[in-house]
Each structure stands twice: as structure tokens, then as C-alpha cells.
Amino acid sequence: MSKYQAFYLKAGKGNYEWVSDSGTNRHITNAFKDFVPGSFVKNFCQVTMGNGRTLSPGHGTVVLKSTMSDGKEKLVNLLRVILLPQCPLKLVVNSPFVRKGCEIKMH
């Protein structure tokens, strides 16, 4: 068993606001409002996705409120989250959590 508790990305009204993704190497949001005020840095970078390449206008910090396996809520800081307004989902990368000893369980 992992020494770290798992956290859950909750579904709201049948739609997942954030999705855990093992196939991406960057956290991605499609909404500028998700960024911590003052954290967004304009830094255009090219991003390759399954349907081609696109530009991200920058990155910043996003704070997620997550429910831990014991039912308690915890704030999780996601750093250097890139903004891709055209992305249909908000994606959380799995690998940083796995490197810290967390287990990823999908139900």
C-alpha cells in the first residue's frame, strides 16, 4: 500500500471537470478562470496533440479541491498548467503523483 492517500477527481452532473490522463506530459486546462490570480505567464509554446499541433498562450498554477480516500478535502496545487482553450477536457498528468509514491486507481 502507498504511504500517500489517493485523491479523487470528482464528477459533477455527469461530466468530469478534470480527467486523470496517463498519456499526456503536461496538465492542461481549457479555461483561463482556473488559474490562481497572478500566476499566469504568457509564454507561447507549441503543443502536439492527437489531432495535430496547436499553440498554448501560456501556463500558470491551478488549485484543485480534491476528496481524499478518507473523505477529507485537500487542496492540490498543479504547477505549470498549460492553457489550451480548444481542448475538450481538463487533464491532470498521472506521472508526478506516481513518482511521489501514489497509486492511481480508476473505477
Side-chain angles (χ1 to χ4, degrees), residues 13-102:
K13 297 184 180 177
N15 295 318
Y16 287 95
E17 188 168 348
W18 288 85
V19 177
S20 177
D21 188 347
S22 62
T24 186
N25 60 3
R26 295 287 299 269
H27 305 301
I28 297 172
T29 184
N30 53 19
F32 184 80
K33 68 176 180 59
D34 290 339
F35 293 105
V36 171
S39 73
F40 187 77
V41 176
K42 286 185 179 180
N43 182 21
F44 287 92
C45 68
Q46 194 170 67
V47 179
T48 301
M49 299 179 69
N51 60 352
R53 291 184 178 177
T54 189
L55 279 179
S56 167
H59 65 272
T61 300
V62 172
V63 177
L64 296 182
K65 185 188 294 184
S66 300
T67 304
M68 306 301 284
S69 56
D70 62 4
K72 294 179 183 176
E73 289 191 343
K74 180 175 177 130
L75 298 179
V76 177
N77 292 310
L78 301 180
L79 307 176
R80 298 184 56 86
V81 179
I82 60 173
L83 177 62
L84 284 180
Q86 65 276 39
C87 189
L89 299 170
K90 299 175 183 184
L91 305 175
V92 176
V93 181
N94 290 343
S95 56
F97 299 102
V98 172
R99 282 194 301 271
K100 292 282 186 181
C102 294

